[in-house]
Amino acid sequence: MHLAMVAMDLKPGDEVIIPTVTYIATANAVRYCGATPVLVDVCADTMNIDPADIERKITSNTRGIIPVHLYGHPADMTAVNRIAHKHGLWVVEDAAEAHGAEVNGQKVGTLGTCATFSFFGNKIITTGEGGMVTTDDDALAAKLRLFRGQGMDPKRRYWFPVIGYNYRMTNIQAAIGLAQMEGIEKALADRERLAKWYDEALSELRDQIILPVQASWAKQVYWMYNVFLRDGDANRRDHVMHHLDEDGIETRPVFYPMHILPPYLQDSSYPVADLWSQRGINLPTHLDLTRDDVDRIARSLAGILCKK
Ligand SMILES: *Cc1c(COP(=O)(O)O)cnc(C)c1O
């Protein structure tokens, strides 16, 4: 992500629009260049960047937008690209959590100026650590390669026209990634099956929790299967998670919004993010789960939610 920001020529004083609900790497990549991440609220249904709020946050210093395809559901790229085009901004997709997701039949990673994917151990495709940048722009690809390899001129050994970084992936990691890619269709299908099991097992709890939705134009990939409590705050959510933990079920809270974290702390309120990030839970989403496991998780959840 940092490499993509470098390739966008991001400088101190520049502003980049990002959703406040994301993994912190999105904001950090902007900050590494001395630029300012400008936070935007999210949509309640998918927790993805809210296009209407993007418009409100654009200034003369805005250079680009980083929509994040959060938890595997694509951001509204049609709206984001329309706004970017209108204001002359670049768009870098943060596709770290969404390998294989689609917008109107087009894969994420092909929809912006460029896109970044993560191959960290818990992502849909992994090489342990690492990632990739995708673009169909040859000049941009050359620039990315230049900065990836300490800035060495590809035609003149040990000649460095710029200050680059060592962001190369090892061949060993790349080999693992290629083998992972051979199994991606199955991995995505298995995730979809797991999500269906959850949808069925949790349907009776619909008056208590909100299950994942999918926009009409989207194909999501369920990096994480999330549910949102219909009522309460973070304390209630943490109480529910604690109950599940006592039943041997590991869960995680939905990401805290950037504006409440120390490095990006702000007084401003982001009503949707503030409310719904407190109510979201990542349920176990790994491919060894059986139908029985899913039923047991649903029973445990019902046990705490339906307790008077
Ligand atoms: C995992 C993740 C990243 C960062 O990926 P790393 O490979 O861990 O650096 C960036 N953005 C989002 C939304 C992520 O989930």
Side-chain angles (χ1 to χ4, degrees):
M1 291 209 66
H2 180 212
L3 184 59
M5 294 301 104
V6 169
M8 294 299 115
D9 296 320
L10 204 56
K11 304 240 154 36
D14 291 346
E15 296 174 1
V16 176
I17 289 181
I18 70 168
T20 188
V21 180
T22 181
Y23 181 64
I24 196 167
T26 318
N28 288 350
V30 174
R31 196 49 82 69
Y32 295 158
C33 297
T36 306
V38 172
L39 307 179
V40 161
D41 207 356
V42 294
C43 303
D45 52 355
T46 62
M47 303 291 276
N48 274 329
I49 196 162
D50 176 4
D53 204 30
I54 296 177
E55 293 263 24
R56 288 191 281 270
K57 302 284 169 64
I58 290 174
T59 73
S60 58
N61 294 321
T62 310
R63 297 291 170 262
I65 308 171
I66 310 180
V68 181
H69 307 307
L70 204 71
Y71 297 116
H73 191 296
D76 184 350
M77 291 304 294
T78 310
V80 169
N81 280 333
R82 192 185 308 120
I83 295 166
H85 186 73
K86 184 168 133 196
H87 296 273
L89 308 174
W90 47 254
V91 175
V92 174
E93 295 173 76
D94 182 344
E97 305 179 354
H99 317 61
E102 294 176 8
V103 173
N104 290 320
Q106 260 191 291
K107 293 264 192 271
V108 302
T110 67
L111 304 166
T113 313
C114 67
T116 58
F117 288 82
S118 169
F119 298 136
F120 177 61
N122 71 357
K123 304 297 163 94
I124 291 172
I125 288 291
T126 178
T127 59
E129 286 279 7
M132 71 175 174
V133 188
T134 57
T135 178
D136 62 357
D137 177 335
D138 290 341
L140 180 54
K143 191 169 176 186
L144 287 158
R145 288 195 184 97
L146 176 72
F147 281 96
R148 174 189 64 181
Q150 300 283 23
M152 186 158 73
D153 188 325
K155 298 209 178 80
R156 195 172 170 195
R157 186 154 287 265
Y158 305 129
W159 185 258
F160 299 90
V162 297
I163 298 176
Y165 305 85
N166 179 356
Y167 284 167
R168 293 183 301 267
M169 174 180 267
T170 66
N171 289 344
I172 297 166
Q173 284 175 303
I176 293 169
L178 288 172
Q180 288 262 306
M181 277 304 292
E182 287 173 12
I184 190 170
E185 292 305 333
K186 181 172 187 309
L188 294 175
D190 286 351
R191 279 175 188 277
E192 205 167 317
R193 190 198 55 208
L194 179 62
K196 282 221 175 66
W197 287 347
Y198 268 125
D199 285 346
E200 285 166 26
L202 297 173
S203 68
E204 281 169 21
L205 296 176
R206 275 181 188 277
D207 56 339
Q208 298 267 6
I209 55 177
I210 299 170
L211 303 184
V213 294
Q214 180 165 263
S216 59
W217 42 263
K219 178 177 184 290
Q220 65 181 320
V221 289
Y222 299 102
W223 177 56
M224 291 284 168
Y225 188 94
N226 297 329
V227 295
F228 292 86
L229 304 181
R230 287 190 186 272
D231 298 302
D233 56 11
N235 287 331
R236 176 162 184 259
R237 188 263 315 274
D238 293 349
H239 178 67
V240 170
M241 286 175 55
H242 182 70
H243 172 90
L244 290 165
D245 188 52
E246 288 188 325
D247 278 349
I249 298 161
E250 186 194 349
T251 58
R252 292 183 183 180
V254 156
F255 298 130
Y256 296 105
M258 295 303 107
H259 67 271
I260 72 166
L261 296 179
Y264 300 106
L265 194 64
Q266 288 180 9
D267 284 336
S268 332
S269 78
Y270 296 80
V272 177
D274 287 331
L275 185 67
W276 291 102
S277 66
Q278 293 190 48
R279 295 179 173 177
I281 301 175
N282 306 152
L283 295 182
T285 317
H286 70 86
L287 301 182
D288 293 335
L289 287 173
T290 64
R291 174 100 211 202
D292 283 348
D293 293 329
V294 169
D295 289 342
R296 192 170 77 78
I297 293 164
R299 275 198 306 279
S300 176
L301 204 48
I304 177 85
L305 291 177
C306 302
K307 195 151 56 184
K308 285 286 170 290

